[in-house]
Amino acid sequence: ALLPEIGADNPRLQPALWHVFGRALVCRTLDVAMQQSRQYNVDCVTIDGDQVSRRGALTGGYQDPADARLGIMLRVNHWRGRHEEELAKKAAAAAGFQGYVKQPGDRCG
């Protein structure tokens, strides 16, 4: 953490730090944000957009639309359709060879 390195524990420097940084920090992870929020009584925001209030509330965060249920279902339906198209092509190609393939019990010649 950078706070101890920049003197956040020093009461004489705190007014200047609060003026520059306000009462918010950007943290790498939610765990770090919760720890820093409690330890230094500041609001924190993670790189992913989760917010940790110095009062203890956790909110927000970025949710990738690609991971949403609707997005997943759209991708499943897309790939199911592509798979069914490929199966239909292969079935049609196999049907074209049906006359050339001898069945068990057929006589050669």
Side-chain angles (χ1 to χ4, degrees), residues 75-99:
R75 286 196 309 266
V76 165
N77 289 337
H78 166 78
W79 289 110
R80 181 180 291 140
R82 297 257 326 250
H83 178 69
E84 288 172 357
E85 289 171 10
E86 288 296 317
L87 284 177
K89 286 179 188 176
K90 290 180 181 184
F97 288 108
Q98 203 64 7

Side-chain angles (χ1 to χ4, degrees), residues 23-38 42-63:
R23 296 188 69 83
L25 294 175
V26 177
C27 300
R28 286 187 185 99
T29 66
L30 187 58
D31 292 332
V32 171
M34 291 187 322
Q35 176 193 12
Q36 297 298 311
S37 179
R38 272 180 272 165
V42 294
D43 294 332
C44 296
V45 179
T46 66
I47 293 171
D48 292 330
D50 293 314
Q51 296 177 353
V52 179
S53 169
R54 62 183 171 266
R55 295 178 191 96
L58 302 173
T59 59
Y62 173 74
Q63 290 191 344

